């Protein structure tokens, strides 16, 4: 029989919420995420529309923005305000509810970014 430490350890606690698997601290106090660097890309921001796994509802995705987590959150907030809709930032991808590709491309080009439409 395996002991508890070899099985991966604590993942969620009602006391502190979600736990980091690397440093075993609550996610709010995790020191692992602070060391992550800005992902290096090709310098092109790609904007696409996706409906998979969302019950047929369209979501506009913005990928390839070379910003840290705080910068992505701020940019996501600006894009949500420009489109007048909701959205989120997950794993370095900005998700905006609805099909707003043209508005987002125009807003990103106004900020001086190189933007491409990706997908159909």
């Amino acid at each position: 029989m395996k002991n508890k430490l070899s099985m991966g350890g604590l993942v969620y606690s009602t006391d502190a919420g979600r736990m980091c698997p690397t440093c075993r601290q609550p996610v709010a106090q995790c020191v692992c995420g602070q060391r992550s660097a800005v992902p290096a890309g090709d310098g092109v921001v790609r904007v696409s529309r996706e409906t998979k796994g969302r019950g047929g509802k369209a979501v506009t995705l913005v990928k390839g923005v070379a910003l840290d987590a705080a910068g992505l959150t701020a940019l996501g907030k600006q894009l949500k305000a420009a489109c007048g809709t909701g959205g989120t930032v997950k794993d370095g991808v900005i998700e905006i509810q609805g099909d707003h590709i043209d508005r987002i491309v125009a807003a990103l080009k106004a900020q001086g970014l190189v933007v491409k439409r990706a997908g159909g």
Side-chain angles (χ1 to χ4, degrees):
M1 187 164 152
K2 295 182 179 181
N3 64 10
K4 289 183 181 180
L5 291 177
S6 67
M7 297 178 77
L10 182 65
V11 177
Y12 187 86
S13 170
T14 56
D15 184 40
R18 188 158 289 286
M19 306 297 278
C20 175
T22 308
C23 65
R24 307 234 187 257
Q25 296 293 323
V27 173
Q29 299 170 356
C30 176
V31 294
C32 302
Q34 296 173 357
R35 289 181 268 168
S36 64
V38 175
D42 59 356
V44 178
V45 178
R46 288 177 172 78
V47 181
S48 63
R49 185 177 68 94
E50 185 178 278
T51 57
K52 290 184 180 179
R54 294 179 169 86
K57 308 232 185 214
V59 174
T60 305
L61 302 175
V62 181
K63 300 178 183 177
V65 182
L67 294 174
D68 60 344
L72 274 178
T73 305
L75 180 61
K77 188 172 182 177
Q78 290 175 358
L79 293 176
K80 289 187 294 185
C83 296
T85 186
T88 186
V89 178
K90 292 182 182 174
D91 299 326
V93 177
I94 301 172
E95 298 180 1
I96 305 294
Q97 295 174 355
D99 187 2
H100 301 286
I101 293 177
D102 297 330
R103 288 183 189 172
I104 291 175
V105 168
L108 292 173
K109 282 186 179 178
Q111 293 184 3
L113 298 171
V114 179
V115 183
K116 274 188 176 180
R117 287 185 64 158

